[in-house]
């Protein structure tokens, strides 16, 4: 881990580390997408804002690793929901194209099945319908029907809840939502809902794998989250040349233009409260006075920093009883030569993916037959690897809180490489010239992540959705607000950005 942290540190830290002052209108704790978005928007409104980031670079979990000529997106690697980014940039009179070189991926991703066959999903609905039809008769039209419903759900959520504060259950039920409530199917699971359209397990898997982006499983997420398929099949997937770190840089650049100050390697040690207000935060350099705080760091960690612990909304028992999004076992590999059989985004389904979900949510253990995501951005962007080589990120969703050592991580990494070769025909282990592993304990230490969860918050189960998620505004402290994946609307980079825009 020490070599990883040193290798990714200095270029961005030097560019954003600024002269410190002792008083601001708003202190933003945490430089993830939720914090960067909030900082820029507040500065645009005339506030004097500073962002305090624990780590050496900004971006939170959207971190970057550079080593031996390879560059890896350490966290988020999918640029989805482009409308969210367009709306954010438009707040400043800008467009994503002013900062980013976005490439529409084609294919969007490859699905590899346990029988070693594969299908490619393209940014072409007719092609994808034909793929479904070939696997199951009549499934092409049913995909269209499914996506028609997903579009209605997505548009309804944008109109009613995504960009609005939800302070109580009553805020959740607008007339628009009540009128369309039956179509949302909130009390049916995604597993039940998807099975009404598709009998084939392969097709159910293609539809449901995107639930991982929300930190859930088919059996514990309500059917209203089928809206993610509208994003997947209709809005398409892009790649910002240079990686997701370029999106981070674009947010920082906008904030800088409006006067936001950024202090990296500055963890907050204490949040000072007087009565029911925050008056300042303590760092290694002293106290910074402030009129308000936006906390982008994980909520459980933030509340532990209060000088008055009686002001916490949630005690430790509350967090222990939540269903958290999974953690992740990650390997960052630099490989020589070609990566046969792989595209930019690849998902391999284990033979028993239901058992994998049980190993995450019901009986925590290291998965023996997991579904695995492989990201190979160098196929699209040769700049992220030396000539003739490739960057490969391997991600295995795992349970939070699993015990591990460096030796056990290495052993499990070897198991996964052998597993991919035997089960999926993906041969990498003899081509590796660089390897780094990042797993449960690393999420906990690097991001103050509760139980080492990878996605920054609780999973989107029915009772952890909408008004049942931790709120944007603290219930006891009048000048404390939250942004990021741990609050509403929820998990994912687009949701983190939206959390900063909610009214």
């Amino acid at each position: 881990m020490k070599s990883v942290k040193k290798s990714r540190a200095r270029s961005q830290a030097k560019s954003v580390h600024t002269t410190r002052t002792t008083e601001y209108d708003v202190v933003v704790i945490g430089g993830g997408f939720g914090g960067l978005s909030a900082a820029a928007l507040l500065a645009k409104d005339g506030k004097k804002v500073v962002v305090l980031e624990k780590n050496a670079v900004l971006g939170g979990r959207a971190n970057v690793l550079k080593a031996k000529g390879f560059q890896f997106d350490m966290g988020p690697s999918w640029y989805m929901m482009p409308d969210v980014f367009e709306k954010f940039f438009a707040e400043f009179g800008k467009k994503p194209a002013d900062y980013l070189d976005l490439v529409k991926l084609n294919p969007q991703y490859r699905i590899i099945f346990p029988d070693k066959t594969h299908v490619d999903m393209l940014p072409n609905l007719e092609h994808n319908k034909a793929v479904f039809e070939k696997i199951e008769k009549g499934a092409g039209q049913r995909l269209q029907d499914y996506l028609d419903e997903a579009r209605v759900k997505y548009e309804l959520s944008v109109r009613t809840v995504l960009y609005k504060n939800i302070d109580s259950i009553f805020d959740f039920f607008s007339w628009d939502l009540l009128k369309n409530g039956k179509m949302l199917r909130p009390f049916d699971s995604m597993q039940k809902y998807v099975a009404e359209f598709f009998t084939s397990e392969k097709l159910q898997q293609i539809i449901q794998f995107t639930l991982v982006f929300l930190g859930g499983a088919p059996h514990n997420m309500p059917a209203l989250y089928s809206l993610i398929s509208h994003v997947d099949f209709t809005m398409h997937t892009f790649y910002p040349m240079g990686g997701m770190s370029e999106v981070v840089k674009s947010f920082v650049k906008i904030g800088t233009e409006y006067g936001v100050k950024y202090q990296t390697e500055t963890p907050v040690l204490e949040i000072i409260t007087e009565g029911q207000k925050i008056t300042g935060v303590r760092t290694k350099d002293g106290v910074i006075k402030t009129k308000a705080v936006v906390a982008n760091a994980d909520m459980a960690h933030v509340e532990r920093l209060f000088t008055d612990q009686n002001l916490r909304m949630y005690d430790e028992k509350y967090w222990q009883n939540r269903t958290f999004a999974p953690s992740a076992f990650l390997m960052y590999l630099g490989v020589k030569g070609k990566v046969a059989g792989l595209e930019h985004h690849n998902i391999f389904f284990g033979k028993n993916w239901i058992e994998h979900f049980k190993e995450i949510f019901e009986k925590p253990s290291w998965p023996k037959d997991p579904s695995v995501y492989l990201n190979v951005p160098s196929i699209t962007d040769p700049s992220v690897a030396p000539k003739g080589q490739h960057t490969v990120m391997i991600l295995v969703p795992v349970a939070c809180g699993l015990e591990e050592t460096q030796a056990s991580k290495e052993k499990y990494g070897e198991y996964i490489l052998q597993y991919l070769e035997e089960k999926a025909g993906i041969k990498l282990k003899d081509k590796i010239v660089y390897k780094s592993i990042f797993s449960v304990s690393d999420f906990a230490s690097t991001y103050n992540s509760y139980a080492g969860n990878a996605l920054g918050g609780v999973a989107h189960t029915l009772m952890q959705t909408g008004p049942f998620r931790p709120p944007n505004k603290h219930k006891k402290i009048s000048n404390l607000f939250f942004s990021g994946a741990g609050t509403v609307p929820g998990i994912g980079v687009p949701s983190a950005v939206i959390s900063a825009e909610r009214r």
Side-chain angles (χ1 to χ4, degrees), residues 58-73:
L58 296 166
R61 287 168 170 81
N63 215 329
V64 62
L65 166 61
K66 296 181 180 180
K68 295 189 176 181
F70 298 99
Q71 177 178 311
F72 304 88
D73 284 325

Side-chain angles (χ1 to χ4, degrees), residues 325-363:
S327 188
F329 178 87
L330 291 152
M331 284 193 290
Y332 307 102
L333 307 177
V335 301
K336 60 186 178 182
K338 296 181 179 181
V339 282
L342 296 177
E343 293 290 347
H344 186 124
H345 294 302
N346 310 268
I347 300 94
F348 167 70
F349 290 126
K351 191 172 183 179
N352 190 346
W353 83 320
I354 297 300
E355 183 63 24
H356 185 187
F357 283 120
K358 289 180 179 179
E359 290 168 330
I360 294 172
F361 292 106
E362 297 175 18
K363 47 181 183 181

Side-chain angles (χ1 to χ4, degrees), residues 68-131:
K68 295 189 176 181
F70 298 99
Q71 177 178 311
F72 304 88
D73 284 325
M74 295 188 69
S77 58
W78 296 65
Y79 187 101
M80 301 177 74
M81 293 177 69
D83 57 324
V84 171
F85 295 97
E86 290 164 5
K87 184 179 185 304
F88 174 78
F89 283 104
E91 293 278 351
F92 306 92
K94 303 290 187 178
K95 302 185 296 295
D98 295 332
Y99 299 89
L100 303 170
D101 180 10
L102 293 173
V103 175
K104 182 186 288 188
L105 295 182
N106 189 6
Q108 295 195 127
Y109 51 87
R110 171 165 288 180
I111 299 285
I112 304 168
F113 296 110
D115 60 9
K116 297 184 182 180
T117 62
H118 72 265
V119 296
D120 291 340
M121 294 290 106
L122 308 186
N124 181 316
L125 182 55
E126 292 307 313
H127 165 86
N128 297 335
K129 286 165 65 175
V131 169

